[in-house]
Amino acid sequence: MSRNLDSALASHFAGAVVYPIFLLRADFDSGTLRLWTGYGDLTWNGATFTGAGEVLNLDLPDETLSLEANGAEATLTGIDSSLVATALAEDYQERPATIWVAALDGGQNLLPPYPVYAGRIDTMQIKSSGDEADIGVTIEQPLISFKSQRGSRYTPEDQKRRFPDDEGLAQVPTLNDGRQITWGAGQ
């Protein structure tokens, strides 16, 4: 698949020694979380990304030729368990998140990042064990909504779910059994 990578980033990835990194941005009501897979602070595009090092794990979906929605997962492992209360209080669903791949030229200068995944946060998993916790979020693309059924059906069961006493669609299944229905008066 063709990519519009910056020429410096493409040259770096084609080289013998590569210093790849990932950047993550997730927008919440309380503020924007910006992390990267290295150590210390990294500034890009006027924003500072905090180094999460080995604490940040990104699980990106494999690319396929078929049209399917595969989610990504971002997990912070071994963090202080006091952050669990903060995570639980956060309204996270449907918040935008983006993951970029980039590289450090010679391990020092940031080459222009390329977006590899963008979507909305769907679920959060929290595993706590004493002083440490793991907090993971799944990020889904808008295409995932095509997997879920929307709307209602003209069936008695669907009508009963919405209106338990309604018998208006009770005869719908009999319409498909080959009966001849004659409309009009006097017949």
Side-chain angles (χ1 to χ4, degrees), residues 29-132:
D29 289 343
S30 62
T32 301
L33 175 68
R34 292 182 186 91
L35 301 172
W36 74 289
T37 56
Y39 298 97
D41 288 342
L42 179 70
T43 303
W44 171 60
N45 224 17
T48 301
F49 289 76
T50 303
E54 296 172 10
V55 172
L56 176 62
N57 180 34
L58 297 172
D59 185 15
L60 298 172
D62 294 331
E63 270 189 3
T64 63
L65 294 176
S66 63
L67 182 64
E68 53 185 273
N70 296 320
E73 188 170 336
T75 306
L76 293 171
T77 59
I79 60 172
D80 188 82
S81 62
S82 65
L83 295 175
V84 170
T86 303
L88 288 172
E90 190 65 57
D91 189 12
Y92 61 87
Q93 284 193 316
E94 291 296 316
R95 299 301 188 259
T98 306
I99 300 170
W100 294 268
V101 65
L104 296 176
D105 183 13
Q108 301 299 319
N109 301 315
L110 178 67
L111 297 173
Y114 178 80
V116 291
Y117 197 87
R120 300 208 170 265
I121 297 173
D122 184 31
T123 61
M124 181 185 298
Q125 304 84 30
I126 299 174
K127 297 176 187 169
S128 183
S129 59
D131 295 339
E132 292 184 347

Side-chain angles (χ1 to χ4, degrees), residues 127-140:
K127 297 176 187 169
S128 183
S129 59
D131 295 339
E132 292 184 347
D134 297 348
I135 300 174
V137 294
T138 56
I139 305 165
E140 300 290 351

Side-chain angles (χ1 to χ4, degrees), residues 132-154:
E132 292 184 347
D134 297 348
I135 300 174
V137 294
T138 56
I139 305 165
E140 300 290 351
Q141 294 176 327
L143 187 61
I144 196 75
S145 65
F146 288 123
K147 286 185 177 180
S148 61
Q149 292 184 358
R150 301 247 192 264
S152 60
R153 308 277 185 237
Y154 291 109

